[in-house]
Amino acid sequence: TLRERATEGYTVFLSTHLLSMANTLCDRVGIISDGRLVALGTPEELRDELAARGSLEDVFFAVTREEEVSSA
């Protein structure tokens, strides 16, 4: 249903902790850490730029670790 709505031109905002779901359903992904947007792009862009073509989970851990280090 979500993909159908998006194909029809609707904007669909999905909040999930299931990164495999985000990878499958989303055209763009934003990662929020401590209330701040720390990464934004297509799943492919994020994997290519931030996780050496790893998974979205790898991207999440890479950017949230960076956020923790810069906050410390």
Side-chain angles (χ1 to χ4, degrees), residues 1-12 25 27:
T1 301
L2 296 175
R3 179 54 65 193
E4 286 176 24
R5 295 292 183 254
T7 302
E8 293 169 357
Y10 291 90
T11 298
V12 178
L25 291 176
D27 297 321

Side-chain angles (χ1 to χ4, degrees), residues 21-35:
M21 178 187 292
N23 187 56
T24 302
L25 291 176
C26 299
D27 297 321
R28 289 176 36 128
V29 173
I31 297 175
I32 298 172
S33 178
D34 291 326

Side-chain angles (χ1 to χ4, degrees), residues 28-33 36-42 45-47 49-50 56 59-60 62-64 66-67:
R28 289 176 36 128
V29 173
I31 297 175
I32 298 172
S33 178
R36 289 187 275 166
L37 184 64
V38 295
L40 178 66
T42 68
E45 289 169 345
L46 294 176
R47 285 192 307 266
E49 293 173 23
L50 301 169
L56 269 184
V59 171
F60 173 81
V63 297
T64 55
E66 288 174 12
E67 185 68 17

